Amino acid sequence: MTTGKPPSQSGRTATSPAYHAVWDWPVRGFHWLLVVLLAAAWATAEAGIDYMHWHMRCGYAVLTLLLFRLLWGAVGSGSARFGGFVRGPRAVWAYARAWFSRHPQHYLGHNPLGGWMVLALLALVAVQAGSGLFANDDIVNEGPLARLVSGDVSGLLTAIHKFNFNLLLGAVGLHVAAVLLYLWRGDNLLKAMFTGRKPAGHYRDRVGPMAPAWRAALCLAVAAAAVWALVELPA
């Protein structure tokens, strides 16, 4: 079995690019900001009730990022659009089989398995942020929408908020393990998420054009305004 390294660049001509642009700055910014915010949300929750207001602010920021990513998945760059990397079960099965063969499949953007992992992580983040809006600590703190539901419903959503975080941690751990496994096989996904580029070669997909910066700014503004309205208007 081969090492599974990305396609060789030995066939490049003098005029061909050494790298392909893959991940735009909005996708990379979303990825790393989400990592920081989830870590901060965990730390402030563990620190006690005196830091709960910071925990809630982290939650609002996470929700803003999530809404931004959903918008960017519809109107963003080619590699960011869900329609460009979410594939059916046949493609997922073919990719999984090829991964253990002598001829693994290589993708510039998310591979078929990675695409579904993205959706799973976004879904778990959505449950975490959404349930937090209705949660309470039975002492002095409660989410901005907790007053809109009964105490029993708020308690149930609080339990979901706590349990789902364990699921989210498990999914993040699986994601990190996959990145390390690909690194072992010669595909440095971590570097690509910092630089936005992958080595030139033969890939099964094309990522399409990069979207303009103003579109990302507009999506972020819409997401931030929606979260502000969700949090402030009920009060």
Side-chain angles (χ1 to χ4, degrees):
M1 185 171 66
T2 62
T3 62
K5 293 182 179 181
S8 171
Q9 301 180 46
S10 59
R12 288 196 303 109
T13 65
T15 58
S16 61
Y19 293 92
H20 292 296
V22 182
W23 308 118
D24 57 20
W25 67 264
V27 167
R28 286 177 283 152
F30 163 82
H31 181 275
W32 295 116
L33 280 174
L34 186 62
V35 170
V36 171
L37 286 171
L38 288 177
W42 172 82
T44 50
E46 292 295 313
I49 61 173
D50 290 339
Y51 293 87
M52 193 55 60
H53 62 289
W54 285 108
H55 177 77
M56 294 170 67
R57 289 169 181 170
C58 288
Y60 302 153
V62 167
L63 187 56
T64 301
L65 279 181
L66 176 65
L67 292 179
F68 165 78
R69 184 64 183 90
L70 294 178
L71 291 172
W72 200 241
V75 302
S77 301
S79 59
R81 298 196 180 196
F82 299 123
F85 64 79
V86 178
R87 300 174 177 86
R90 184 173 300 179
V92 173
W93 176 243
Y95 176 81
R97 289 181 58 190
W99 203 83
F100 294 99
S101 72
R102 293 179 179 274
H103 304 286
Q105 299 175 359
H106 299 284
Y107 286 82
L108 264 178
H110 293 297
N111 61 61
L113 278 175
W116 283 99
M117 174 57 76
V118 169
L119 293 187
L121 285 168
L122 291 179
L124 289 171
V125 170
V127 171
Q128 192 66 20
S131 60
L133 295 173
F134 299 89
N136 70 86
D137 62 5
D138 289 325
I139 305 175
V140 295
N141 296 295
E142 64 178 18
L145 304 185
R147 68 188 66 182
L148 301 181
V149 298
S150 68
D152 289 341
V153 172
S154 179
L156 174 61
L157 291 172
T158 301
I160 291 174
H161 187 69
K162 295 177 179 178
F163 176 74
N164 184 74
F165 187 71
N166 294 324
L167 296 180
L168 183 56
L169 284 180
V172 169
L174 183 61
H175 176 63
V176 171
V179 170
L180 294 176
L181 184 59
Y182 276 94
L183 180 62
W184 173 68
R185 296 194 65 170
D187 192 356
N188 195 338
L189 301 179
L190 186 62
K191 182 179 179 180
M193 191 49 68
F194 275 109
T195 65
R197 305 183 303 173
K198 280 189 175 182
H202 299 288
Y203 296 91
R204 297 179 64 89
D205 62 334
R206 296 182 179 181
V207 298
M210 296 293 171
W214 66 262
R215 193 180 301 172
L218 180 60
C219 288
L220 183 59
V222 170
V227 172
W228 177 87
L230 184 67
V231 171
E232 294 295 333
L233 292 185

